[in-house]
Amino acid sequence: MLDCIFCKIANKETKSTIVYEDDMVIAIRDLDPKAPEHVLIIPKKHIASINEFKAEDKDLAAHILVDVVPKIANDLKIAESGYRVVINTGEDGGQTVHHLHVHILGGRSMTWPPG
Ligand code: AMP
Ligand code: ZN
């Protein structure tokens, strides 16, 4: 999608620090990390938010949760200590980039409830 920062990152038109990539997703370091480890998993396909998931995206959603999140947590060495997986959605959810992305945050103890 034109003028979407995460499409540009997925297409390598904008620089990012890539930690993982396959045919469905790219995972990068967050530019403004909220924890010692803060990675964003970004589908290569433009999906605005979790509200726009279609039936055809089930493989992608499962791939992210079943394969990519645990692999990155292992690679970052936060699988054992624990981490948080977040998908901010819409205005009340605090979503600022309107291309679906999954945050992985770790390396410190998280508080609950979130702000
Ligand atoms: P959200 O508030 O869930 O939409 O999160 C958007 C995240 O994207 C924030 O944590 C930003 O710091 C991060 N972000 C925005 N632009 C970039 C970029 N060019 N490279 C890496 N992370 C970014
Ligand atoms: Zn996009």
Side-chain angles (χ1 to χ4, degrees):
M1 196 196 207
L2 226 60
D3 273 343
C4 170
I5 184 68
F6 286 176
C7 281
K8 286 183 179 159
I9 284 172
N11 295 330
K12 317 271 171 63
E13 292 161 26
T14 295
K15 260 177 77 174
S16 65
T17 305
I18 299 170
V19 299
Y20 174 79
E21 182 174 12
D22 62 30
D23 56 334
M24 288 198 218
V25 301
I26 188 164
I28 64 166
R29 293 240 169 234
D30 197 291
L31 207 57
D32 180 18
K34 314 300 187 294
E37 302 291 355
H38 189 173
V39 165
L40 304 173
I41 303 169
I42 301 170
K44 291 190 171 175
K45 171 184 175 184
H46 182 90
I47 301 169
S49 81
I50 218 168
N51 290 335
E52 275 71 45
F53 261 146
K54 304 274 186 285
E56 70 205 34
D57 299 318
K58 275 185 188 170
D59 284 353
L60 169 66
H63 176 56
I64 290 172
L65 279 185
V66 174
D67 305 320
V68 182
V69 167
K71 184 197 167 9
I72 290 174
N74 268 311
D75 290 349
L76 297 176
K77 300 187 172 26
I78 55 173
E80 294 305 317
S81 51
Y83 55 96
R84 187 165 287 176
V85 179
V86 173
I87 304 177
N88 293 325
T89 305
E91 199 177 337
D92 281 358
Q95 184 177 6
T96 59
V97 177
H98 297 280
H99 176 135
L100 179 72
H101 50 283
V102 177
H103 297 257
I104 300 180
L105 300 129
R108 68 168 167 82
S109 186
M110 305 287 156
T111 57
W112 192 263

